[in-house]
Amino acid sequence: MGPSAASPPFGEHHEELRESVGRFVEKEIVPHTDEWEEAREFPGDLFTRCGELGFLGLKFPAEYGGQGGDHLDDAVWVEELSRRGASGGVAAGLNAHSSIAMPPVFEFGDEWQRQRWVVPGIRGEKVGALGITEPGAGSDVASIRTMATKVEGGWVVNGSKTFITNGVRADFLVCACRTTEEGGHGGISFLVLESDMPGYEVTGKLEKLGWHSSDTGELAFEDVEVPETHLLGEENGGFALIMSNFAWERLLMAIGAVGAMDHLIEKAITYTKERHAFGRPVADFQATRHRLAEMATTAAASRTLTVDTLRRFHEGEDVTREVSMAKLFTQRALVEIADDTVQLFGGWGYMREYQVERALRDARLGPIGGGTDEIMKEIIGKTMGL
Ligand SMILES: Cc1cc2nc3c(=O)[nH]c(=O)nc-3n(C[C@H](O)[C@H](O)[C@H](O)COP(=O)(O)OP(=O)(O)OC[C@H]3O[C@@H](n4cnc5c(N)ncnc54)[C@H](O)[C@@H]3O)c2cc1C
């Protein structure tokens, strides 16, 4: 179980990174889990701390303050966050910033935009969020209604977004807007909105089943004036950005799930060896051993599919189908493994103490967020000519 030492596509330096992320998570994140879950957010200085340690800039070039690595370094960071026991909420908040909001600014942005959002973002001094979903448009991304109307020198934005991770505290929002009356695939553009722009309002912080320590915001825009320098990439070319971002976001979700599976299985093994029933350790019952064996098999299959997809993604292959498969398979699998873990813990699994009830609640977002299971199946079906 777990990532085997430096097996491809990972090299020796990834093992060192695993260790340093692991030490950080166990010492500076895990001990605060309950407090941050109750507060419904983690402290803002966790971003600057992660920035100081270089974790927010792993895949960005050194000239921007990054570590000069690539997707594989980011994958190690995401996997170790969950493998060492960070809550889904903490992982979601940190990654929505460093792995979901910043990459399109870097990839599609010009030098001024990189300096304005990526450089302070890598230091954790500015926090980013990605704003696509709206009250009336989730899976059907092309039907978003937030409208950016062209005016002299820029746009005026009106509309709203919901379910935005980091939405309450974000300094900048990478925001999908309609830039033609018709909207749709050829009429969406990305504008970077800043939270201190007049007319930009955080209208709500949502209560959720899981991910309690991440803030999930509702936003409203009323005549927000956005200068033309805030357009990311091509006008009306926003769909390309959405698609390129989704591939990485979904792959990261699969990687995070693989890490979380290892964490839960280790916990379940330890607990069932220590807990006694009918005069012997619970792990001695055949039913327990078989359940653990099935969990480990599912985790291994998840890891193999995910790491192989990551390797091919890293080599530049089009892995749209495999990413969708990895996302589909791992997110459901993690819900099942978390549920199995709760079962193995018995009543204690239902209590807060061992954090497995939280893991189950956190896992439930996987088959919904970043594209639902049903949408993954649609994509996979299309690649099969269906
Ligand atoms: C905690 C949390 C954090 C999030 N963070 C962000 C964020 O940071 N930024 C952001 O932009 N979004 C974010 N999201 C939104 C998330 O990506 C959407 O919830 C997701 O894409 C699903 O959209 P929806 O909720 O509108 O569901 P809907 O699209 O309304 O779907 C409802 C049901 O219909 C099904 N369905 C829809 N279309 C089809 C179809 N063609 N075929 C079959 N079934 C279909 C769905 O699978 C689902 O079962 C977040 C969501 C949550 C809950």
Side-chain angles (χ1 to χ4, degrees):
M1 258 177 19
S4 37
S7 52
F10 298 108
E12 280 308 323
H13 85 275
H14 294 117
E15 296 316 299
E16 286 161 29
L17 179 60
R18 271 187 208 291
E19 277 320 301
S20 71
V21 174
R23 275 194 304 275
F24 166 67
V25 174
E26 284 171 1
K27 192 159 160 247
E28 299 189 42
I29 292 184
V30 171
H32 303 287
T33 302
D34 278 342
E35 179 194 335
W36 296 349
E37 289 278 296
E38 261 163 46
R40 297 297 192 256
E41 62 185 16
F42 56 84
D45 60 14
L46 188 61
F47 283 104
T48 39
R49 178 70 180 135
C50 290
E52 238 169 62
L53 295 170
F55 296 143
L56 302 180
L58 289 168
K59 62 187 169 312
F60 298 111
E63 61 190 288
Y64 295 96
Q67 304 301 305
D70 55 32
H71 285 106
L72 297 180
D73 300 276
D74 220 24
V76 168
W77 155 249
V78 168
E79 181 180 348
E80 291 308 305
L81 268 173
S82 57
R83 208 166 71 86
R84 305 297 184 118
S87 67
V90 168
L94 294 174
N95 295 331
H97 167 65
S98 68
S99 303
I100 294 171
M102 281 204 292
V105 180
F106 188 78
E107 195 182 330
F108 293 84
D110 58 26
E111 188 55 29
W112 181 83
Q113 294 172 331
R114 288 176 172 186
Q115 293 295 336
R116 187 166 179 89
W117 298 298
V118 178
V119 170
I122 287 173
R123 291 198 296 260
E125 289 164 5
K126 277 188 185 171
V127 173
L130 179 72
I132 299 179
T133 307
E134 300 185 354
S139 305
D140 185 8
V141 174
S143 71
I144 58 163
R145 302 199 61 78
T146 292
M147 186 73 204
T149 309
K150 196 106 187 228
V151 293
E152 179 78 32
W155 286 269
V156 172
V157 176
N158 282 284
S160 60
K161 296 286 171 188
T162 194
F163 300 159
I164 306 305
T165 304
N166 292 340
V168 178
R169 69 167 118 218
D171 300 294
F172 65 94
L173 178 75
V174 179
C175 183
C177 303
R178 261 164 73 169
T179 35
T180 64
E181 269 309 317
E182 312 76 54
H185 290 82
I188 292 177
S189 308
F190 273 84
L191 297 176
V192 183
L193 273 56
E194 293 178 340
S195 57
D196 57 2
M197 287 174 162
Y200 180 118
E201 202 190 335
V202 177
T203 48
K205 182 174 182 180
L206 296 166
E207 269 299 317
K208 315 181 286 290
L209 173 70
W211 284 22
H212 284 171
S213 46
S214 77
D215 64 295
T216 306
E218 290 183 306
L219 307 172
F221 317 121
E222 199 185 332
D223 293 332
V224 181
E225 290 179 19
V226 184
E228 59 195 358
T229 48
H230 287 224
L231 171 71
L232 271 190
E234 298 286 312
E235 186 174 348
N236 297 323
F239 227 77
L241 187 149
I242 292 179
M243 288 303 125
S244 102
N245 219 46
F246 268 158
W248 183 234
E249 178 179 358
R250 290 168 185 166
L251 192 45
L252 280 185
M253 287 177 77
I255 293 162
V258 162
M261 288 177 201
D262 285 351
H263 178 72
L264 287 169
I265 294 169
E266 275 170 33
K267 257 188 161 164
I269 292 172
T270 307
Y271 181 83
T272 54
K273 281 182 170 171
E274 283 167 5
R275 176 77 177 175
H276 281 65
F278 299 95
R280 53 188 171 132
V282 168
D284 273 7
F285 297 118
Q286 191 187 52
T288 304
R289 284 185 279 112
H290 284 190
R291 190 185 285 268
L292 283 165
E294 281 175 7
M295 290 160 71
T297 305
T298 303
S302 298
R303 176 175 293 283
T304 302
L305 174 59
T306 302
V307 174
D308 186 58
T309 304
L310 173 66
R311 179 185 58 73
R312 292 168 60 182
F313 178 89
H314 182 63
E315 287 167 3
E317 266 187 63
D318 177 0
V319 283
T320 308
R321 172 166 61 177
E322 290 73 14
V323 165
S324 310
M325 287 175 165
K327 202 252 173 200
L328 175 68
F329 187 77
T330 56
Q331 305 307 300
R332 272 285 157 199
L334 178 59
V335 174
E336 279 168 27
I337 285 180
D339 190 50
D340 280 338
T341 307
V342 168
Q343 190 67 22
L344 286 171
F345 273 68
W348 288 110
Y350 202 69
M351 303 296 143
R352 230 201 221 180
E353 182 166 339
Y354 290 96
Q355 304 275 336
V356 293
E357 58 82 33
R358 178 190 49 70
L360 176 57
R361 288 186 289 101
D362 285 350
R364 190 60 187 84
L365 201 259
I368 298 171
T372 64
D373 280 4
E374 292 73 21
I375 298 299
M376 294 308 101
K377 290 176 199 174
E378 284 293 307
I379 297 172
I380 296 163
K382 279 197 188 119
T383 67
M384 296 162 70
L386 299 171

